Structures are given as C-alpha cells and as structure tokens.
C-alpha cells in the first residue's frame, strides 16, 4: 500500500506504532478526525496530513521528504531538529515552544508556525521559500531586506509577532502580506507596494506606521482584501477604491479626503470609521447590491444619503457621528439587523423599502436627529426598539448607567433620612447640598449615557 486516506471520518483512538513499519507507504491522510495519543515514528512517507485531531506529546523526527501538516492539535515540545528535505512544514495552532531550528533551512516551500509559542528570531538562511507564516507566535524579528527580496516568496504573514524596525523595500512577488498586531513597526508603508500587482490580500493593522497608504494599493488588479485598520499615525488621503476588491477595512486611522469608490466595485464590506473623511457619500452606492456591512461612522461626511432600498444583502449600516442629512430609506433586506445613524442632521420621514423585513431583533439607534414625523406605524406592529443599545457596543455605557442610578437612589435615601431626623445633633448642614450635587452629577452622567 502506498496511500492511505482516512480523513474526515470521525475516527477516534490512537494511531498504532506499527504504521511506522509500512515502508512502502508514501501518503498518510488522517486529518479532521478525533484521533488522540502520541504520534508514532514515521520515516518514509512523502505526505503526512494529520491536522485537526487531538494528538499530544512531542513531535518525533518523522520524515525525510515531502509534506508534513500537524496543525490544530495539542502538541508540545520543540520543532525537531532532524527534519530533512521537507517541502512543506505546517505546525500552527499547537503549544510548540522553543526557537526555530537551523534545520528549517531545509524546508523548500512553506513554513507555517502560526499560533504557537515559538520564540527567538528567523534564521538568516531560511531561504528561499514561497510561504512564511508566523502569525501570533512569539518570534522577535526585524524584517531584513533579504527576506522581502526573495524571488520565490509569495506569502509573508507576521501578524501578531514582536516585529520592530521599519518595513524594507518589498521586491518579492508577494500575493499575501500580513503585518501588525503586537508589532512595533515604525516608518512608512514602502511605496514599492504599488508595483506588487499580484497582491490578493493585505493586512496592516495595529502598527505605529505613519505616512500615507500608497495610492494604488486599493486598486490592484488582483486585490480582494485590504485591511489597514487601527494604525493611529497613518494619515493622508483615503486611496481610490476600484478593481475586484471585496472587503475594505480602514477604520481607526487619521485618513482624510473624500470617498472615491468606482461604480464597478463589487464591495461586500466597507469600513472606514473613526477617520477624518469628508465630502458626501457617492450616489452609486445605492447600486452596490453585494454590500453586507457599510460603516462610515465618526467621520466628517456631509450631504444627503443615497437610497439603500436596492441593497438586498445589507445587514449592518453605521452612519452615526457625521453631518449627513436628507431622507433615510431603509434597505429592502431580510437580513437587516443594525442601524446606527445617531448624531447626524437627518430631518425627514423614515422610509422603508417595499420588501424590507423588520423584526424585534433589529437594532436601531436614531437619537440626535430631527425627524419630521413620529415613529412609523410598522415599528409598533413589528415591535422594533428604536433606542436599543447593543451590549457589545455599549456595555460600558450600561455599566455607568447602573452606577449612576444606584448613586442617585442612594443620594435620595440620604436626603430623606436627613429630612426625617432634623433633631440629629451630628447632622451636617451641608449634607443636603452635597446630596443635591451628587444627584446633579448623576443626572449629567445619565444624559451622557443616552447620547
């Protein structure tokens, strides 16, 4: 037998050590089962796929060549130092620790040690490879120019690692780039990124990078995902958005300018909240029927709202904290679940699409506007709560609200006690004044929570 494929069969129990004696076996596929126990010694297979099980213990020196995937298990210990001539090594999502051994230089294509406890630095001779994935590990590294110039490197993801220094010029033919997380990256995003026309996914989040996003980055001919959120020092104008990109997330930056979205875009998620973007929303947004989430809250956007009635897939709409006016027409979507448009300048009757489905699970937050009509009749019949605060968004406000109510009640009780016992010789004449001050402060906090 040269191949044994038992993947995705809910098999439980341990793998017998005798399987290591099957010298003719080239491929062993046991992924996505319920197998447990320790791994047997296997030395001759060309492909070993044992991911998504419950294996524990350490990793033996298993293979002399081929493909090794032991990800998503309970393995511990260190990366074996005797791995030779591997093409692919995938050990992510385990409890493996230690440093990256020098023998990893023998891996010719893919190294994936993401979500492990691997620490230390990247070996200088870990080249050339096509994919280096170290997300959420404890690697401490400065990105060397030699790494970003590897002519075979297509995937480089160091998100959630302890990266420091600056991003060197990138000349490798990258398709996926992931930087950020716990990183201490500084400097700017290299302008060379504009020349990486093969990029499909870019993630640069929670870094100290400053400067601007390269103007062509959101218009790459193969780009589908652009995530550049939570880079507090990233400024400049929001780049024009066109091409095949489907997800754009550029929230929590300091970007300015106006929205430039090509009418031909097929966006499904668009998030640019908490920036300094101004101007109006493009009218052709009303034709982007693939949109599921549209979040532009806390910017400086003005003008009138486009119609949302054709956006049949839209489920979440966040427009609050801008200067938007005009008519609010709800999307005709059965999946519509959240509408946050408070603190704008909407002064209109609330419209609703002909086929819009609204239920008690739909969350609306609308205060801070000046609607010219009362709550529509469909709101009462559908039992929609218009001043509802989603706990995920407003847990802290509800906590303050509870504390304020408690303090207000306590202050009222103290005042009542003082009034009922005027003969108490230790009564402080200023106690009533202090109590009123407390009640006034509580009233202010309650008003804040209702914003």
């Amino acid at each position: 037998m040269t191949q044994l494929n038992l993947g995705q069969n809910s098999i439980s129990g341990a793998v017998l050590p005798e399987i290591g004696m099957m010298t003719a076996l080239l491929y062993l596929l046991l992924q996505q089962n319920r197998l447990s126990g320790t791994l047997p010694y296997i030395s001759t297979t060309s492909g070993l796929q044992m991911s998504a099980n419950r294996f524990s213990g350490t990793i033996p020196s298993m293979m002399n060549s081929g493909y090794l995937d032991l990800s998503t298990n309970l393995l511990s210990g260190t990366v074996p130092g005797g791995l030779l001539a591997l093409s692919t090594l995938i050990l992510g999502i385990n409890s493996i620790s230690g440093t990256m051994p020098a023998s990893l230089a023998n891996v010719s294509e893919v190294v994936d040690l993401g979500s492990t406890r691997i620490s230390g630095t990247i070996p200088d001779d870990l080249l050339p490879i096509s994919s280096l994935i170290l997300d959420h590990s404890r690697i401490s590294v400065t990105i060397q120019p030699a790494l970003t110039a590897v002519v075979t490197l297509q995937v480089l993801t160091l998100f959630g690692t302890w990266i420091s220094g600056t991003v060197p010029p990138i000349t490798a033919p990258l398709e996926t780039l992931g930087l950020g997380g716990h990183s201490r990256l500084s400097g700017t995003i290299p302008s060379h990124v504009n020349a990486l026309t093969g990029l499909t996914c870019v993630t640069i989040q929670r870094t100290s990078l400053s400067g601007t996003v390269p103007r062509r980055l959101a218009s790459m001919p193969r780009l589908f995902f652009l995530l550049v959120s939570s880079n507090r020092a990233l400024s400049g104008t929001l780049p024009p958005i066109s091409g095949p990109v489907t997800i754009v997330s550029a929230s929590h930056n300091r970007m300015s300018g106006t929205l430039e979205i090509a009418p031909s875009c097929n966006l499904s998620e668009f998030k640019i909240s908490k920036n300094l973007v101004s101007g109006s929303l493009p009218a052709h947004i009303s034709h982007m029927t693939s949109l599921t989430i549209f979040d532009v809250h806390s910017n400086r956007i003005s003008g009138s709202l486009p119609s949302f009635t054709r956006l049949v897939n839209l489920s979440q709409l966040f427009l609050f904290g801008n200067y938007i006016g005009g008519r609010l027409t709800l999307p005709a979507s059965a999946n519509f679940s959240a509408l946050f448009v408070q603190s704008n300048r909407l002064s209109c009757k609330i419209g609703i699409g002909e086929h819009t489905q609204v239920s008690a699970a739909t969350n609306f937050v609308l205060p801070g506007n000046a609607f010219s009509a009362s709550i529509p009749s469909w709101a009462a019949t559908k039992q929609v709560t218009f001043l509802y605060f989603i706990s995920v968004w407003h847990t802290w406000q509800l906590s303050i609200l509870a504390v304020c109510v408690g303090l207000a009640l306590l202050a009222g009780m103290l005042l009542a006690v003082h009034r009922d016992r005027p003969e108490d010789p230790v009564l402080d004449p200023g106690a009533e004044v202090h109590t009123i001050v407390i009640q006034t402060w509580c009233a202010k906090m309650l008003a804040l929570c209702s914003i």
Side-chain angles (χ1 to χ4, degrees):
M1 181 183 296
T2 60
Q3 179 172 330
L4 178 60
N5 185 355
L6 297 175
Q8 303 179 13
N9 278 294
S10 300
I11 301 172
S12 59
V15 177
L16 298 177
E18 287 78 7
I19 200 169
M21 301 177 186
M22 300 174 63
T23 56
L25 189 62
L26 297 178
Y27 297 95
L28 176 60
L29 310 178
L30 300 175
Q31 74 277 10
Q32 298 183 37
N33 282 291
R34 299 174 184 175
L35 297 168
S36 58
T38 58
L39 293 169
Y41 179 85
I42 303 174
S43 61
T44 59
T45 58
S46 297
L48 181 57
Q49 169 60 276
M50 304 178 77
S51 63
N53 282 286
R54 300 172 184 173
F55 291 113
S56 58
T58 59
I59 304 173
S61 296
M62 292 186 165
M63 300 173 62
N64 294 322
S65 63
Y67 178 101
L68 175 59
D69 186 354
L70 303 177
S71 61
T72 317
N73 277 287
L74 306 173
L75 298 171
S76 57
T78 61
V79 179
L83 299 174
L84 302 175
L86 283 172
S87 64
T88 299
L89 176 64
I90 304 177
L91 303 178
I93 316 180
N94 278 289
S95 297
I96 301 168
S97 57
T99 58
M100 297 179 67
S103 62
L104 285 180
N106 297 320
V107 181
S108 60
E109 295 182 11
V110 178
V111 173
D112 182 352
L113 301 176
S115 297
T116 64
R117 298 177 182 176
I118 297 288
S119 59
T121 59
I122 299 175
D124 293 336
D125 55 353
L126 190 63
L127 302 172
I129 56 176
S130 62
S131 299
L132 179 59
I133 303 169
L134 300 175
D135 291 348
H136 303 289
S137 63
R138 299 181 182 179
I139 292 292
S140 178
V141 62
T142 298
I143 304 177
Q144 300 297 327
L147 178 61
T148 56
V150 176
V151 295
T152 57
L153 189 63
Q154 297 177 339
V155 177
L156 176 62
T157 60
L158 305 175
F159 192 83
T161 59
W162 295 102
I163 314 172
S164 59
T166 60
V167 182
I170 301 174
T171 57
L174 289 180
E175 296 179 3
T176 300
L177 174 64
L179 303 172
H182 302 301
S183 73
R184 291 166 287 178
L185 279 176
S186 57
T188 61
I189 301 175
S191 59
H192 304 76
V193 172
N194 280 329
L196 302 179
T197 55
L199 279 173
T200 60
C201 177
V202 175
T203 302
I204 303 176
Q205 296 180 312
R206 298 200 294 276
T207 71
S208 296
L209 293 173
S210 57
T212 63
V213 176
R215 183 168 176 80
R216 290 183 55 194
L217 186 57
S219 305
M220 292 293 188
R222 296 181 59 192
L223 188 72
F224 288 95
F225 306 100
L226 177 61
L227 313 176
V228 288
S229 299
S230 301
N231 302 287
R232 297 290 184 176
L234 207 57
S235 57
T237 58
L238 188 71
I241 299 165
S242 63
V245 63
T246 59
I247 296 179
V248 173
S249 179
S251 301
H252 297 263
N253 295 301
R254 296 178 58 83
M255 295 183 192
S256 56
T258 59
L259 288 181
E260 296 183 51
I261 305 176
S264 59
C265 274
N266 193 33
L267 289 171
S268 62
E269 295 184 17
F270 184 72
K271 305 174 185 178
I272 59 161
S273 61
K274 294 191 176 180
N275 278 286
L276 304 172
V277 177
S278 57
S280 58
L281 299 177
H284 54 261
I285 289 177
S286 60
H287 300 285
M288 295 184 175
T289 55
S290 296
L291 269 176
T292 59
I293 299 175
F294 189 73
D295 182 0
V296 297
H297 79 78
S298 302
N299 278 284
R300 298 175 179 177
I301 298 172
S302 57
S304 299
L305 282 175
S307 172
F308 296 107
T309 55
R310 297 182 181 179
L311 306 189
V312 294
N313 296 301
L314 190 65
S315 63
Q316 298 178 27
L317 179 62
F318 302 99
L319 306 173
F320 64 89
N322 285 289
Y323 306 98
I324 301 172
R327 176 178 171 81
L328 172 63
T329 304
L330 299 182
S333 170
N335 298 317
F336 191 60
S337 62
L339 173 65
F340 285 69
V341 297
Q342 70 269 29
S343 302
N344 278 289
R345 296 178 177 178
L346 297 172
S347 56
C348 58
K349 181 179 179 181
I350 305 172
I352 183 169
E354 180 182 355
H355 302 290
T356 301
Q357 300 293 319
V358 183
S359 68
T362 304
N363 303 293
F364 294 82
V365 177
L366 307 176
N369 290 288
F371 292 105
S372 59
S374 58
I375 296 176
S377 58
W378 51 263
T381 58
K382 296 294 184 179
Q383 299 179 349
V384 177
T385 306
F386 263 75
L387 300 182
Y388 182 81
F389 291 92
I390 298 179
S391 59
V392 173
W393 281 64
H394 296 282
T395 299
W396 65 274
Q397 287 184 319
L398 295 178
S399 299
I400 294 176
L401 179 63
V403 171
C404 291
V405 171
L407 288 175
L409 292 174
L410 178 60
M413 293 173 62
L414 289 174
L415 182 60
V417 170
H418 291 323
R419 286 177 176 172
D420 293 340
R421 300 177 59 186
E423 73 284 0
D424 193 335
V426 297
L427 180 63
D428 182 1
E432 183 173 342
V433 175
H434 295 319
T435 304
I436 294 174
V437 170
I438 292 175
Q439 288 180 317
T440 303
W441 177 84
C442 291
K444 290 180 179 180
M445 293 303 295
L446 287 170
L448 176 64
C449 291
S450 65
I451 296 175

